Amino acid sequence: MKTGGSFIITIILSLSIQAQTVVTKETGTIRTTSSSLYKAGKELVVSISIDITRDLSSNESMVLVPIVCDTLEHRLELPPIYINSRKQHIVFLRETSKKEKSAQALQRKNGNKQTMHYLQSVPFEQWMNQATLSLIEKSCGCGIPDAEDFICIARLHPRPTFVPQLAFLTPQVETSKIRTEKGSAFIDFPVNVTAIHKEFSNNVIELNKIIETINTVKNDSNVSITRISIHGYASPDGPLQLNERLARERTRTLKEYVSQLYPFDGKYIHTTYTPEDWEGFEALLSDTTFQDKEAIMKIVTSNMHPDRKEEIIRMRFPAFYRFVLKHWFVILRHSDYTVEYHVRPFTIEESQVVFDTNPKNLSLEEMFRLALTYTPGSATYNKIFMTAVQLFPDNPTANLNAACIALIQKDTKTAAVFLEKAPPLPETTLAKGVLCFLQGNYKEAEALFRQSKDAGLLQADDNLKQILAVSYTHLRAHETLSDL
């Protein structure tokens, strides 16, 4: 077992570049002759050999920084390599070497070929199983690193990069696009009065909220209003019988006010009312923290008569009742309104304009067709799918497609959230397989890919081939190690 295990470790964790990588200048070259990553016990060992024939000017210093990173967000900078002119090497020994004790340095002797061997080890971490090794070149004339030049002069690819193949779902055509605009108006009335006084309290602003909502919809040539709903609420203070009359008549008065402003047929405006808004009272109470909260909540949620609830709260908790009388009851007298409208269908060309101005008027299927006109993975392509899930947050298809976008971007946290609302289809199984792979759960990823393949998804077969090439042998190596 030990012989087999050692063999696998050598193949998997000791990888080198056979071809030489060269940076060529007029004055010579810097050439990596061999580079390797390998695991030795609990350490990751980095070995690099460099041949140098490039001549440096008297004030020149080149800094090569080995970088170990993976395809996600892990990045580890190793101690740098300094190749210095004679003058800058003196500066290095006097200043830089004291700050960077692990750095390796070579004094360049122009006109001669020099070879430098770099060897460093760091504690091995799980993510390093997918690591690559690169060198980033930095150079300046002072012996201290300047801005990164990002000229890669050595690179290791210990494994192929996984390119997930995903399957998007085509949304169903929305036969009738019905949309709504909603709001609440807090219209104030004098005590026991049901007529609207525009100049009373803050009524001008509150009435304008309803008018502006209706006008926004009415002035859109792509839509037609199908229904306006008004639901009036009275607050829980006072007798239920009186509050029922006030809620009913004040709601009817508001309907008449709207009807006078617009040539709507009476059938377009529908009204309902709630005599006392105890649900709103309960919601406000839930968001409040104070000593008697639980006792009051039991009263509010009980089945006793509303007048009795108010009486008990007023008698047992007078300070609290005075507070709600001043601050809560005024906002529990409100009129909730909904403007329902129908949106016409759009061509792809029209959809582009609507997406830029009012994407809510597009159906999920219209946004999907629009996305297909852009290059997959482009900023606009991704934006359309993410806008779709924002507008249709509970739609399974929108959530699956948004998860696919997140997975392509290697955003596993966002993808996992969207997949919770994705439909129980092979396409979702495929996406979950990609998620598992990106999270390092290779066994589960392989199982999910096989399920997707059995369901007929061609993308699953491609993912299986990739996962076998990328991680299967690596997984077996770990299994072998556990047996040692």
Side-chain angles (χ1 to χ4, degrees):
M1 286 299 293
K2 288 186 177 180
T3 302
S6 298
F7 176 75
I8 293 176
I9 294 171
T10 302
I11 295 299
I12 300 301
L13 299 177
S14 179
L15 301 151
S16 62
I17 295 178
Q18 301 299 323
Q20 296 172 335
T21 309
V22 182
V23 171
T24 302
K25 301 287 185 180
E26 293 181 359
T27 54
T29 63
I30 296 177
R31 182 188 304 271
T32 59
T33 56
S34 65
S35 306
S36 65
L37 282 174
Y38 60 91
K39 183 180 179 184
K42 296 182 179 181
E43 299 289 313
L44 177 71
V45 180
V46 177
S47 175
I48 305 171
S49 293
I50 304 172
D51 281 353
I52 305 154
T53 59
R54 173 181 164 184
D55 293 342
L56 302 182
S57 63
S58 61
N59 288 319
E60 188 176 1
S61 177
M62 173 174 284
V63 186
L64 306 175
V65 182
I67 304 291
V68 177
C69 61
D70 65 2
T71 56
L72 298 176
E73 297 180 354
H74 299 96
R75 171 188 167 105
L76 177 65
E77 288 194 11
L78 299 178
I81 302 166
Y82 285 82
I83 303 173
N84 301 318
S85 64
R86 186 185 66 83
K87 183 183 295 186
Q88 291 302 326
H89 198 62
I90 295 172
V91 175
F92 172 85
L93 294 175
R94 185 177 64 239
E95 300 177 5
T96 309
S97 62
K98 297 177 182 179
K99 301 176 184 178
E100 301 181 61
K101 295 181 180 180
S102 299
Q104 294 185 214
L106 176 142
Q107 180 181 332
R108 178 70 183 119
K109 297 178 181 179
N110 290 343
N112 299 309
K113 175 183 175 181
Q114 293 172 276
T115 299
M116 185 175 189
H117 299 288
Y118 178 90
L119 188 66
Q120 289 284 346
S121 64
V122 293
F124 186 84
E125 298 181 32
Q126 183 64 30
W127 66 267
M128 293 176 180
N129 286 307
Q130 293 86 44
T132 63
L133 173 64
S134 303
L135 279 178
I136 292 178
E137 178 186 348
K138 302 179 181 180
S139 45
C140 68
C142 58
I144 301 174
D146 199 358
E148 290 185 346
D149 198 9
F150 285 98
I151 298 176
C152 182
I153 64 172
R155 183 179 297 276
L156 289 177
H157 294 281
R159 46 178 275 173
T161 301
F162 177 60
V163 181
Q165 300 300 307
L166 295 147
F168 288 73
L169 277 180
T170 303
Q172 293 182 348
V173 176
E174 193 175 353
T175 55
S176 181
K177 292 191 292 180
I178 301 299
R179 303 288 185 268
T180 59
E181 294 291 340
K182 299 181 178 181
S184 292
F186 300 90
I187 301 168
D188 207 355
F189 295 85
V191 177
N192 293 334
V193 173
T194 60
I196 294 176
H197 296 269
K198 283 188 60 177
E199 305 304 324
F200 183 73
S201 188
N202 205 37
N203 284 351
V204 171
I205 294 175
E206 295 302 317
L207 289 169
N208 281 341
K209 286 162 62 175
I210 302 175
I211 295 170
E212 288 173 4
T213 301
I214 295 174
N215 286 344
T216 298
V217 178
K218 185 174 178 293
N219 294 335
D220 189 339
S221 60
N222 294 317
V223 310
S224 56
I225 295 177
T226 57
R227 179 187 178 100
I228 297 176
S229 301
I230 301 174
H231 191 126
Y233 294 83
S235 58
D237 55 317
L240 176 63
Q241 186 175 2
L242 172 62
N243 288 335
E244 183 171 10
R245 180 182 68 83
L246 292 175
R248 179 181 65 252
E249 294 184 9
R250 286 172 176 176
T251 302
R252 184 182 63 198
T253 300
L254 182 56
K255 174 184 176 180
E256 292 172 354
Y257 176 83
V258 174
S259 298
Q260 292 172 0
L261 296 176
Y262 300 96
F264 294 138
D265 191 307
K267 67 179 182 180
Y268 279 99
I269 305 178
H270 298 257
T271 60
T272 53
Y273 66 92
T274 296
E276 296 183 355
D277 189 8
W278 283 101
E279 286 188 6
F281 189 99
E282 181 182 346
L284 291 170
L285 187 59
S286 298
D287 291 336
T288 305
T289 302
F290 61 97
Q291 185 176 358
D292 299 318
K293 175 179 177 178
E294 291 187 8
I296 296 174
M297 183 64 78
K298 288 182 179 179
I299 299 171
V300 172
T301 57
S302 69
N303 294 325
M304 66 179 67
H305 192 278
D307 288 349
R308 181 60 178 159
K309 291 182 184 180
E310 183 198 2
E311 180 184 7
I312 294 175
I313 294 173
R314 186 177 67 250
M315 297 298 292
R316 290 178 55 185
F317 308 98
F320 172 76
Y321 186 83
R322 287 193 298 271
F323 170 81
V324 300
L325 186 64
K326 181 178 180 181
H327 298 285
W328 285 9
F329 287 158
V330 66
I331 60 177
L332 293 176
R333 305 177 196 121
H334 56 102
S335 299
D336 294 350
Y337 54 91
T338 301
V339 181
E340 182 183 282
Y341 55 97
H342 175 266
V343 185
R344 71 175 181 86
F346 299 107
T347 64
I348 292 180
E349 291 74 17
E350 291 173 328
S351 295
Q352 178 61 76
V353 177
V354 176
F355 182 79
D356 293 335
T357 56
N358 192 9
K360 184 178 179 181
N361 283 348
L362 292 175
S363 69
L364 194 59
E365 187 265 343
E366 286 170 334
M367 280 190 276
F368 183 84
R369 287 192 291 112
L370 177 62
L372 296 182
T373 64
Y374 291 90
T375 302
S378 65
T380 304
Y381 180 89
N382 296 343
K383 180 181 178 181
I384 293 173
F385 281 109
M386 289 306 181
T387 301
V389 79
Q390 291 172 6
L391 294 175
F392 301 90
D394 297 319
N395 185 281
T397 297
N399 276 275
L400 173 61
N401 290 343
C404 290
I405 295 297
L407 288 170
I408 291 172
Q409 296 174 332
K410 305 295 192 301
D411 185 351
T412 55
K413 291 183 179 180
T414 300
V417 173
F418 289 136
L419 284 175
E420 290 179 0
K421 294 184 179 181
L425 295 174
E427 289 82 356
T428 298
T429 303
L430 179 75
K432 289 181 177 179
V434 173
L435 176 63
C436 286
F437 180 84
L438 294 176
Q439 292 174 332
N441 189 347
Y442 305 126
K443 280 188 175 180
E444 182 65 17
E446 182 180 343
L448 292 169
F449 290 153
R450 293 194 182 281
Q451 290 181 33
S452 305
K453 180 182 178 181
D454 292 342
L457 290 182
L458 297 178
Q459 296 91 337
D461 189 50
D462 186 85
N463 284 345
L464 274 172
K465 292 177 182 178
Q466 288 195 71
I467 197 173
L468 291 174
V470 171
S471 65
Y472 189 79
T473 308
H474 170 72
L475 180 62
R476 292 296 178 262
H478 276 273
E479 290 175 345
T480 304
L481 283 171
S482 65
D483 292 335
L484 296 179

